[in-house]
């Protein structure tokens, strides 16, 4: 297979532009079936610094994959949830999980994360 698109409207490039990033796939994964606050995401992705997590969330919001809802209360309450476009990425995330799990098994390693989401949930 050859790709002669030079990056112009390349489907793989478009996908990577939207979800490629150090923590974007993890953020999307954790939001698949729920709405979370910033602090909850920080606990679920402890390796991300607050600055990096904020940056990745903003990029996902700009890509229209998630929404950020700010409630006018003190202290401030901000929630993140997937948009319909964000939820449409579910099959890709499951494919990434399955491929990674198979790879780890081939390398003689156990899957060491607690990423669980119902595959029967609505897509």
């Amino acid at each position: 297979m050859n790709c002669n698109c030079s990056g112009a409207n390349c489907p793989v490039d478009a996908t990577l532009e939207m979800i490629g990033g150090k923590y974007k796939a993890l953020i999307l994964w954790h939001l698949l079936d729920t709405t979370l606050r910033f602090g909850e995401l920080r606990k679920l992705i402890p390796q991300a610094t607050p600055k990096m997590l904020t940056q990745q969330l903003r990029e996902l919001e700009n890509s229209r994959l998630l929404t950020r809802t700010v409630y006018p209360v003190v202290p401030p309450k901000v929630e993140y949830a997937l948009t319909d476009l964000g939820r449409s990425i579910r099959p890709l995330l499951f494919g990434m999980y399955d491929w990674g799990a198979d790879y780890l098994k081939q390398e003689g390693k156990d899957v060491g994360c607690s990423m669980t989401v119902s595959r029967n949930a609505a897509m």
Side-chain angles (χ1 to χ4, degrees):
M1 286 191 277
N2 273 337
C3 176
N4 297 320
C5 60
S6 302
N9 297 321
C10 174
V12 173
D13 189 48
T15 304
L16 289 174
E17 183 67 30
M18 292 181 79
I19 69 164
K22 192 147 186 169
Y23 303 109
K24 287 182 183 178
L26 292 175
I27 293 167
L28 293 168
W29 180 275
H30 288 300
L31 291 173
L32 277 177
D33 288 333
T34 192
T35 296
L36 295 171
R37 294 178 67 179
F38 184 83
E40 293 170 313
L41 285 166
R42 281 199 60 205
K43 288 177 187 172
L44 292 167
I45 311 170
Q47 64 273 33
T49 64
K51 179 181 177 183
M52 180 57 77
L53 185 57
T54 298
Q55 177 184 334
Q56 299 284 277
L57 286 164
R58 284 183 182 150
E59 290 176 13
L60 288 167
E61 185 181 10
N62 288 338
S63 296
R64 301 181 339 269
L65 293 173
L66 63 79
T67 59
R68 176 179 184 264
T69 304
V70 180
Y71 296 93
V73 295
V74 176
K77 178 181 176 182
V78 179
E79 291 182 336
Y80 297 92
L82 295 184
T83 61
D84 288 340
L85 181 62
R87 282 187 292 278
S88 74
I89 207 130
R90 177 184 285 273
L92 179 59
L93 293 173
F94 280 126
M96 290 170 61
Y97 179 92
D98 292 342
W99 185 90
D102 289 343
Y103 170 77
L104 290 171
K105 288 176 191 169
Q106 289 175 13
E107 294 294 308
K109 299 175 183 177
D110 292 327
V111 174
C113 72
S114 60
M115 294 177 108
T116 56
V117 172
S118 172
R119 290 181 187 244
N120 297 325
M123 289 192 192

